Amino acid sequence: MQLFVKMVTSNRQRLKTRSNSAFRLIYHLVLVTKFRRKSLTGEMLERLEEVIKELFGKWECDLIEFGGEANHVHMLFETPVRALISTKLVNNIKTVSSRRLRSEYANHLSQFYWSSKPQFWSGSYAIISVGAQAYARKTY
């Protein structure tokens, strides 16, 4: 399967501000399917992007770039200062996206996961902070 990558926004703003702070927090998140099964289709990746955008809206995060292949996805996103990245946000992304994909693509996923309530994502993930300078070089 070919790599699915889509630039979501072209926001090149340097810093965001609040009443008492200025910040730019950008993260690269990688989620892998359980057992690295190649279960994601192009249609599922597009739907997953919609789900992620919806979730990020609730968390006041901005999806900058989304992409993936049959067994993993990558997200580049920006968060406000108060977001609890590893504990709350990532767990929410994994839980909600897993529930929606398992519900909407049950027939397709049944060939990869046999349990009545399978865990879709691997228990592990990678999250990497991305410096504003590295991101700026990438987008110009």
Side-chain angles (χ1 to χ4, degrees):
M1 173 182 245
Q2 284 203 337
L3 179 67
F4 173 85
V5 177
K6 186 173 175 187
M7 189 67 159
V8 179
T9 65
S10 60
N11 180 1
R12 293 186 179 137
Q13 179 183 348
R14 294 287 185 237
L15 294 174
K16 290 192 175 187
T17 59
R18 299 257 190 240
S19 61
N20 63 349
S21 63
F23 58 92
R24 184 89 201 251
L25 302 172
I26 302 170
Y27 296 94
H28 179 193
L29 175 64
V30 181
L31 299 178
V32 179
T33 57
K34 184 74 172 178
F35 308 121
R36 272 211 167 295
R37 300 232 196 263
K38 295 186 177 192
S39 57
L40 292 168
T41 64
E43 178 184 338
M44 291 172 73
L45 287 167
E46 289 179 16
R47 177 63 180 132
L48 186 56
E49 180 183 2
E50 292 171 11
V51 170
I52 299 301
K53 282 181 185 178
E54 181 183 322
L55 282 170
F56 280 171
K58 293 177 182 176
W59 284 84
E60 298 179 39
C61 296
D62 296 318
L63 183 61
I64 298 168
E65 192 171 300
F66 178 87
E69 293 186 30
N71 63 359
H72 70 278
V73 295
H74 293 263
M75 290 166 248
L76 188 65
F77 63 98
E78 186 171 358
T79 67
V81 172
R82 68 184 172 282
L84 299 170
I85 302 301
S86 61
T87 55
K88 304 261 185 195
L89 178 61
V90 174
N91 285 339
N92 188 239
I93 290 169
K94 289 170 73 173
T95 300
V96 172
S97 63
S98 176
R99 188 179 308 126
R100 295 233 185 125
L101 289 177
R102 285 187 289 116
S103 168
E104 296 174 22
Y105 299 95
N107 288 337
H108 171 74
L109 292 174
S110 66
Q111 24 181 346
F112 302 97
Y113 306 102
W114 300 277
S115 171
S116 61
K117 190 173 180 183
Q119 181 181 359
F120 182 76
W121 298 113
S122 169
S124 59
Y125 61 90
I127 189 154
I128 303 151
S129 61
V130 178
Q133 294 302 329
Y135 171 68
R137 280 194 298 270
K138 181 179 188 235
T139 59
Y140 290 125

